[in-house]
Amino acid sequence: RKNEPFRDYWALPGGFVDENEDLEIAAKRELREETSIDLNQLTQIKAYGKPFRDPRSHMVTVAFWAEVGEGVIGEAADDAKELKWFNIDDLPQLAFDHLDIITDAVDIYIKK
C-alpha cells in the first residue's frame, strides 16, 4: 500500500463503491485502477464487516474471486505502491483482514 493505514503492507486490490455504482462494476473498476488488469468475470465470495477491521471507520468489504491467465501482467497504479503475485503457501504479512479473505477464497474455490 502506498498510503496509510497499513502503508508498505501488501493488500488485495480494493476501494470504495461510487454512488449509484453496482458492486461488481466497482470491483472491476478498482481492480483496473490499481492493477491495470481488466476482467469480465468475477464471483462474489462474501461480505466482511467485523468492527475495527479498518482503523479509519467501520467498513464493509464485499470480496470477489477471479481467475487470470498465467501470462497476465499487471502494473501498480492509483494508490497501489507495487504489484506482485505470491504463492498462497508463502504469503507476506497482509493489511486489514485480507488473510481471512484469501483463506475463505482458497477454502471455497481451490480446496473444493
Side-chain angles (χ1 to χ4, degrees):
R1 287 182 49 87
K2 194 185 295 185
N3 304 314
E4 293 292 349
F6 294 102
R7 173 191 268 151
D8 297 329
Y9 280 70
W10 290 100
L12 297 168
F16 298 100
V17 178
D18 292 337
E19 189 173 346
N20 300 317
E21 186 176 34
D22 178 82
L23 291 175
E24 186 172 333
I25 291 170
K28 291 175 183 177
R29 176 183 52 76
E30 285 290 344
L31 180 67
R32 183 176 54 259
E33 287 175 1
E34 294 190 4
T35 70
S36 303
I37 296 172
D38 277 309
L39 292 178
N40 293 323
Q41 181 77 28
L42 299 179
T43 303
Q44 188 174 318
I45 300 170
K46 70 183 234 183
Y48 298 82
K50 183 186 276 187
F52 310 109
R53 60 182 291 277
D54 187 322
R56 295 172 289 194
S57 67
H58 189 171
M59 300 281 182
V60 175
T61 289
V62 178
F64 287 86
W65 167 267
E67 294 185 30
V68 297
E70 287 185 31
V72 172
I73 299 173
E75 183 178 322
D78 196 30
D79 60 350
K81 182 176 180 179
E82 188 176 351
L83 183 142
K84 184 174 179 180
W85 299 105
F86 291 95
N87 184 306
I88 288 175
D89 296 321
D90 191 24
L91 296 173
Q93 187 172 4
L94 299 170
F96 308 102
D97 57 354
H98 289 190
L99 181 58
D100 294 338
I101 296 170
I102 291 170
T103 300
D104 287 345
V106 168
D107 288 347
I108 295 167
Y109 296 102
I110 296 178
K111 292 185 177 178
K112 299 178 192 179

